[in-house]
Amino acid sequence: KHIPGGVNSPVRAFKSVGGKPFFVKKGEGSKIYDIDGNSYIDYVCSWGLLILGHSPPAVINALKNKIKFGLSYGAPTEIETELAQLIKKCIPSIELLRFVNSGTEATMSAIRLARGFTGRNKIVKFEGCYHGHADSFLIKAGSGVATLGLPASTGVTREVAKDTINLPYNDVENFTKVVEKKHEEIAGIILEPVAGNMGVIPAEKEFIEKIRELTQKYDIVLIFDEVISGFRVALGGAQEFYNVNPDLTCLGKIIGGGLPVGAYGGRKDIMEKIAPLGPVYQAGTLSGNPVAMTAGYQTIKELMKPDVYQKLEKLGKKLESGIRSNLDKLGIELQYNRIGSISALFFTEEKVYDFASAQKSDTKRYARYFHEMLNRGIFLPPSQFEANFISLAHTENDIEKTIKANHLSLKRLF
Ligand code: PLP
């Protein structure tokens, strides 16, 4: 009656899995609790951002102390610089960065900057990658756009759409052909180096390296959208994992520790083109909000402690081997893609390496799987085309329960 579809972001509505979404009362550690008294082990983790789990004491306590001093000033604060320094330390390719309020704002601003810096118009993106909901990206996009099966959003003008070149993910040959032909028109190339919005599909190393090579050769701005992979696949994100530095990086989710934050940053000569230093305009009333900065700062401090990513890998591996062993025992062939603490179980027998292969998944069976798991107290993403996230609050016991539920659920489905 009051909100379109009852939700403020489409995938929350359970449209592709059916049924009605539960309404949340609270989150604590690895669990989410609904207003009807049910609890679930949470693998959505607020779409990846809750890497410390729900309500982490270090963050909550820091926020309690911070809000005593006010909520927003619209003038610079020290905590903005402190968080910027911390991020730069973890992701050395970032020499300067600007905070915004969401991942969408980060990617939208990064492509404007790429255009302003190069004086060219076209942007290359890859099918099934999701970069938020700015007009330029809503063509063959992942996440909710894929979930709802939309080829593109209406309301995006043909003029805008013609400046976006969409290419298949992980296809080196196609990419090379297009860039060799059109490089004089291309301002920037944006990709999720680990795609997390068509299930989970890590880029092949050769693909990433070719992109870096050609963008360097033709002075095209290479933008890594690390809104999911940043501080997730490694402290330094996917760029650390692949050892390939982009020109610009977009961040979001984890760096806000549960509050609305995004950021884009990278090469100094490019970032210096942003107002007030340069002619590319970008601003925000709440950008760098001190409360949100505090949540991000505390979260990253926690992630900088020893063995954090080893722990996430251990839990991710345990879940993977449990599910693979269930599949073996039941004689079912499904694809499982994982990198550290993010994973996706694809309901297809064929290897999943791009959007087309991800779309071969049996989404109807995934929908039934989702509800089987939910009924057993496990909250998975309500779409085949989203990632599963493990947090530092997940325990070995949570993983064992999940493996058991996975066995019982798969048994009912095949
Ligand atoms: N980029 C990626 C890779 C994302 O996964 C998302 C959101 O899921 C975005 C950008 C957009 O971020 P936001 O939802 O904060 O606008």
Side-chain angles (χ1 to χ4, degrees), residues 102-105 107 130-132 192 197 225 227-228 253:
S102 66
T104 294
E105 262 191 84
T107 53
Y130 178 68
H131 304 296
E192 287 180 78
N197 286 289
D225 180 350
V227 168
I228 284 184
K253 299 195 191 253

